[in-house]
Amino acid sequence: MIGAEQRPDTLAARAGALFSAYRDGDEHRMGELIALLTPILWHTVRAQRLDREAAEDVLQTTWLTLVRSAESIADSRAVLQWLLVTARREAWRVSRQADRVEPQDFDSDVIATSPDLVPEQVLRDAELGQLWHHVRQLPERCRRLLRVIAFADRPDYAAVAEALGMPVGSIGPTRGRCLAKLRAQLAADPAWEM
Amino acid sequence: MAVADGDADRIAADQIDAVDERALRRLAEIYDELDPVPPGMVERLQFAVTLEALNAEVAQLQWVEPELTGARTDDLGATEVQTVTFTSESLTTMITITPSGLDEVRVDGWAAPGGGVSVELRVAGGRLQVTADADGRFVFEDVPRGLAQFVLRAPPGDRHPPVVTPSIDL
C-alpha cells in the first residue's frame, strides 16, 4: 500500500481496511466485515441486558445503518468505533422501550438469558471456572467493559472503551480500575498461573 | 483479598501486560461458551445487508423436495436430485441440484423470463458467475456443498432490480 501508515494488525485496523475496500467498490468485503465484527458487537449488545432475539434485531439495525450511511462516515479506519457506538445506542433505545412496556421482571428473560449469574461450576475447563469466579465478583460496570474488551486487541482497548461511553483511562494502555481489580484478584489466587 | 488503596492505584496505572491479555483472551472463551453468537446469525445479517446494498427484490423459496426442507441437510442421498423453485415479482427461478462428486454438486437452473440474465452463485469459498442463455437456462458445474445464495441481475438495459434468493444448503 503506497503511503499507508504502518498499522498494527488489530481488530480495528482489519475492520477499517475491509470497510475502506467496501467503500472503494469491493462490495464483497462487507460480508467479511460482518463476520469479523459480529462477536464483539454481539457481546456489546448482550452486555446491555437485551435478550438474544432483541440483540439480533439490534445488530441487524446497526449493520443496515452502516450500509445506509457508509458514505457519510468520515474516517473508515474508525468503523469499529462507529459500529460500537451505533449498536450501544440502539440497544439502549430498544431496552428503554421494553422497560416502558413492562417493568423489568427479574424472574424471567433477563436473568435466564444473561450469563453473568451462571455459576463457575458450569464451565468444564477448570481454569475458566476459576477466572469466572473472579470476574463475577467485579461490579457490573466492569463486567460489561471487560466482556467487550475481551474481543478486541490491546492497541484498540482505549478506543473501544471510549466507544462504550467509558471515561478516558478506563482501560488501555494502562489497566485502569476494572482490569486492575481483576488482576489483583488473580494475583492473590494461588491457583491462577501468572 | 483486600488490596490497599495505594496498591490498587499502582496496579491500575501500570501498563497492560501479557498476563492481562491472556486473562482477557480466556474471558472471551467464557463468554463464547456461556452466551454464543446464535447459529446462522452472521449469514442472516449478511443476507439483510446484501438486500439493502443491492436494493434488491427478495425471492421466496416456493417449493422444496422434502429432503431439502430445514436449514441443514447433512444426509442427502448420494444420487438424489433436488429441485427448488424461487419466485419473486419479476422472475421465477427453478434450480435442480445433482451430486457430481464427493463434496460437489452440479446446479442446473432456469430463470423465466431469464434470457441473458447474469447469475451469481455465492458460496462459502467465493462467488461463481454465469450468464443464462436466450431461454434463461444456466449451469454451474462442481459447486462445493454448503450454504449458497443466488443473485440474478437483468441484462444491461433492462431496469428490473436484482433478485436475491435466501440461502439454501446445496
Side-chain angles (χ1 to χ4, degrees):
Chain A
M1 279 195 290
I2 300 156
E5 61 190 279
Q6 281 274 314
R7 283 197 308 251
D9 186 28
T10 66
L11 186 70
R14 279 179 287 155
L18 287 172
F19 184 59
S20 169
Y22 167 78
R23 283 214 298 203
D24 290 345
D26 190 353
E27 61 174 83
H28 308 177
R29 297 284 91 85
M30 181 54 79
E32 288 175 41
L33 185 62
I34 293 171
L36 179 69
L37 296 185
T38 287
I40 192 170
L41 292 172
W42 170 254
H43 290 285
T44 300
V45 171
R46 288 282 292 148
Q48 307 246 33
R49 296 163 157 243
L50 286 184
D51 68 36
R52 290 170 62 86
E53 201 179 321
E56 179 162 348
D57 288 346
V58 165
L59 289 194
Q60 177 161 332
T61 305
T62 301
W63 284 108
L64 292 180
T65 309
L66 178 69
V67 172
R68 287 176 197 139
S69 16
E71 294 314 315
S72 65
I73 293 168
D75 184 357
S76 61
R77 288 171 302 180
V79 70
L80 173 60
Q81 288 99 301
W82 191 95
L83 284 163
L84 288 169
V85 169
T86 306
R88 186 171 59 87
R89 287 190 185 147
E90 177 65 12
W92 183 77
R93 193 185 65 78
V94 169
S95 66
R96 219 178 44 146
Q97 266 176 358
D99 282 348
R100 226 177 277 149
V101 178
E102 47 184 326
Q104 201 116 3
D105 176 0
F106 280 102
D107 287 334
S108 67
D109 282 358
V110 172
I111 284 185
T113 61
S114 166
D116 282 349
L117 296 138
V118 173
E120 62 253 28
Q121 289 82 358
V122 170
L123 293 160
R124 264 168 303 171
D125 181 301
E127 195 189 59
L128 292 187
Q130 208 182 337
L131 176 60
W132 190 233
H133 168 77
H134 293 297
V135 170
R136 285 186 62 209
Q137 295 175 35
L138 299 174
E140 187 187 356
R141 184 181 59 87
C142 286
R143 273 183 278 132
R144 272 190 202 188
L145 173 66
L146 296 184
R147 179 175 186 170
V148 178
I149 286 292
F151 289 85
D153 295 311
R154 198 201 303 195
D156 300 336
Y157 290 167
V160 168
E162 194 196 332
L164 295 176
M166 306 291 285
V168 173
S170 299
I171 196 165
T174 56
R175 287 192 191 102
R177 292 275 161 204
C178 292
L179 188 55
K181 276 195 180 107
L182 179 62
R183 177 59 177 257
Q185 282 173 220
L186 291 175
D189 181 349
W192 179 266
E193 255 183 71
M194 302 290 275
Chain B
M1 173 188 101
V3 177
D5 278 352
D7 281 354
D9 287 343
R10 183 182 51 74
I11 296 171
D14 273 350
Q15 299 280 317
I16 292 168
D17 64 17
V19 174
D20 297 312
E21 276 197 293
R22 181 170 151 273
L24 287 168
R25 273 199 303 275
R26 300 237 75 193
L27 183 59
E29 287 178 52
I30 294 178
Y31 280 112
D32 271 338
E33 183 173 336
L34 297 183
D35 193 14
V37 170
M41 188 179 78
V42 167
E43 291 77 14
R44 290 192 291 277
L45 293 172
Q46 288 167 336
F47 181 58
V49 164
T50 303
L51 292 183
E52 178 70 24
L54 291 175
N55 200 9
E57 206 175 277
V58 190
Q60 303 291 320
L61 185 55
Q62 197 63 21
W63 176 78
V64 183
E65 294 264 314
E67 287 81 3
L68 207 73
T69 48
R72 284 253 155 209
T73 53
D74 292 321
D75 50 0
L76 285 175
T79 56
E80 205 135 17
V81 174
Q82 308 282 348
T83 302
V84 187
T85 303
F86 296 106
T87 58
S88 69
E89 214 170 294
S90 60
L91 207 63
T92 298
T93 311
M94 196 165 97
I95 305 289
T96 303
I97 303 150
T98 320
S100 65
L102 213 51
D103 292 307
E104 289 95 37
V105 294
R106 172 189 164 102
V107 174
D108 288 275
W110 178 46
V117 160
S118 140
V119 186
E120 181 182 308
L121 182 54
R122 300 182 171 193
V123 291
R127 285 143 204 260
L128 309 166
Q129 181 94 38
V130 296
T131 303
D133 68 15
D135 295 329
R137 292 184 188 280
F138 56 90
V139 182
F140 292 97
E141 311 253 17
D142 300 326
V143 180
R145 284 195 184 273
L147 281 180
Q149 180 183 27
F150 294 88
V151 181
L152 296 100
R153 294 181 177 85
D158 183 328
R159 297 176 49 124
H160 279 105
V163 173
V164 178
T165 73
S167 294
I168 59 164
D169 216 350
L170 294 179

